[in-house]
Amino acid sequence: MLFAFLCKDKPGALELRMATRPEHIEHLNKLNAEGTLKMAGPFLDADGKPNGSLVIVEAADIEAARAIADADPYAKVGLFESVDVKPYNWVFNKPEA
């Protein structure tokens, strides 16, 4: 089943995001190699600077999805103000469709 992580950065956390980005990218690359990661990218503010993330993964259930979200280096360093994990149904433009 697919799950979407809707992650909102804490205000003023761009420096923390950029400092942690290499570990975050490494984490996503591992998920991608496992086939767990389906898509990911940052939300942008009005100035085009990252201020959150959208990550979509495949997991057995919501508990497994939350464990994946919690393992992200961004989450571990406290970048996010909130992370909402929601079941997701990819209907349009799904690569496997």
Side-chain angles (χ1 to χ4, degrees), residues 3 20 63:
F3 294 89
T20 312
E63 290 80 17

Side-chain angles (χ1 to χ4, degrees), residues 6-18 42-43 49-54 74-75 78-83:
L6 303 166
C7 310
K8 181 179 179 183
D9 291 4
K10 291 179 180 173
L14 182 58
E15 188 174 311
L16 179 59
R17 171 180 274 273
M18 299 316 292
F43 292 115
K49 301 213 184 314
N51 66 354
S53 298
L54 170 63
Y74 281 168
L79 172 67
F80 298 131
E81 178 177 281
S82 64
V83 177

